[in-house]
Amino acid sequence: MEAEKEVEKFASFMVGERKSPHTIKEYRFLVSLFLNFTGKPPGECSPSDIENYKNFLASVRNYSKTSQYLAIKAVRHFYKYKNVPAPVNLTVPKRPRKMPNYLSEKEATKLLNAASSDLRTNLIVSLLAHTGMRVGELCNLKVDDVDLDEGVIWIHSGKGDKDRIVIIPDDCRDLIRSYMPKRFEIKSYSNALLVSRKGTKLDTSTVQRTVRNLAREAGISKKVTPHVLRHTFATAVLRNGGDIRFIQQLLGHASVATTQIYTHVDDNTLKEMYQKHRPRY
């Protein structure tokens, strides 16, 4: 019971920090897992307790290195919240640097064509594919965040609590103009741009399911998620000559190092650059 109270207080603290609901949910679970495993207050945990916990994550929970990284990061944040020095070995493992999955332009076109029969679905997929915004950012958009005259959307309190703008092309603007009258026909207490037929703000799981089902209808064999569309956007902009810092700004990355992964991702661009610059012995 004491551990549950601690986790609830920690969750309230993270709300005050304006962490995303997704992060709060994950950290709550991971810190609860840690406290239940050790059975001790954080200040009483020894390095051997931490080592046993790491082994538990890897061998019993079968966590990947990425999941272990997140689990330790959550516990470290809990120690910070408690203002207690963390054991010296409470360090995060190095995460494997995986190439992001993305769609080819042909596949992205097939997905967009499949979405064209439903206005709201078309708008969802078009915004994800043409702006690179995160699914949580899309669901949190308010009607007032869209400036059709300037052709921009304001993203408020994105990841890391940062504000930024994303550019919307003309076809996205036209879709929003067509969607707005339909949006205001739905009675809703929410000012969200995207709402269900019952007037509630769309949640991330609904958008993920929509994208997944649409990809299946379009005959795309790859697993397609909103985040795959974000990778697709970044890869396409890079392929078309976009500067890496420009892409960083559009995606809302805190560091250009995060954006650098896209410089290694596009095989076609790599081949083209090689043909252009290869040695001519």
Side-chain angles (χ1 to χ4, degrees), residues 128-145:
L128 290 170
H130 285 106
T131 70
M133 70 176 74
R134 300 175 178 92
V135 62
E137 294 168 343
L138 176 75
C139 291
N140 287 329
L141 285 181
K142 293 181 171 56
V143 172
D144 298 341
D145 294 334

Side-chain angles (χ1 to χ4, degrees), residues 11-69:
S12 297
F13 170 74
M14 289 189 288
V15 170
E17 287 186 308
R18 298 182 71 181
K19 295 280 188 192
S20 73
H22 178 71
T23 298
I24 293 170
K25 183 180 178 181
E26 281 193 321
Y27 278 28
R28 280 176 69 165
F29 171 76
L30 292 168
V31 168
S32 181
L33 188 71
F34 172 75
L35 293 175
N36 289 327
F37 175 83
T38 60
K40 298 178 181 179
E44 294 178 14
C45 290
S46 66
S48 63
D49 291 323
I50 300 301
E51 210 56 46
N52 288 336
Y53 181 63
K54 286 181 176 179
N55 290 333
F56 165 75
L57 292 175
S59 59
V60 179
R61 302 288 299 190
N62 291 318
Y63 276 14
S64 65
K65 279 193 175 180
T66 300
S67 296
Q68 290 173 46
Y69 173 92

